[in-house]
Amino acid sequence: NKKLNTFLQAQPAGGNWSVYEDDREYNFTLQSLRVDGGAEYNVAGRLWIHAAIGMNMGRNYEIRQNNERVIDADVDDTIYGRVGLLVR
């Protein structure tokens, strides 16, 4: 029975949102790449502790109003972490 797992992962992230105000429509788009690594440790039975640290990279925000670009901005990279419990 293995007690420790390690991992590395990369995943695209982002989304699209539409906001309506009176007769105006704004479309907001966020794009980024999340890269992280970490470990999972088996505490007991099916219970695992999960911990990771990573970086959001290549982030870009864009806002369009009626198909016209209002904002197109590259955003600084940020570091993030997460800790959790898993039941497997």
Side-chain angles (χ1 to χ4, degrees):
N1 187 10
K2 192 173 180 181
K3 298 284 277 180
L4 180 68
N5 292 323
T6 58
F7 61 90
L8 290 172
Q9 67 181 8
Q11 60 187 356
N16 296 303
W17 296 268
S18 293
V19 178
Y20 300 93
E21 180 182 52
D22 299 326
D23 62 340
R24 293 174 293 186
E25 177 184 0
Y26 297 92
N27 296 303
F28 176 68
T29 302
L30 164 63
Q31 296 177 334
S32 70
L33 177 66
R34 294 176 60 120
V35 178
D36 64 36
E40 298 173 345
Y41 181 76
N42 182 235
V43 181
R46 297 178 56 205
L47 187 62
W48 292 73
I49 294 177
H50 171 97
I53 189 163
M55 183 168 282
N56 284 313
M57 305 182 311
R59 296 190 312 160
N60 178 268
Y61 296 124
E62 181 182 89
I63 297 176
R64 291 181 170 268
Q65 178 187 13
N66 301 326
N67 276 340
E68 189 173 317
R69 186 178 298 146
V70 176
I71 294 174
D72 186 358
D74 292 328
V75 183
D76 292 341
D77 297 342
T78 58
I79 295 174
Y80 66 91
R82 67 178 186 260
V83 176
L85 293 174
L86 301 172
V87 177
R88 293 197 168 158

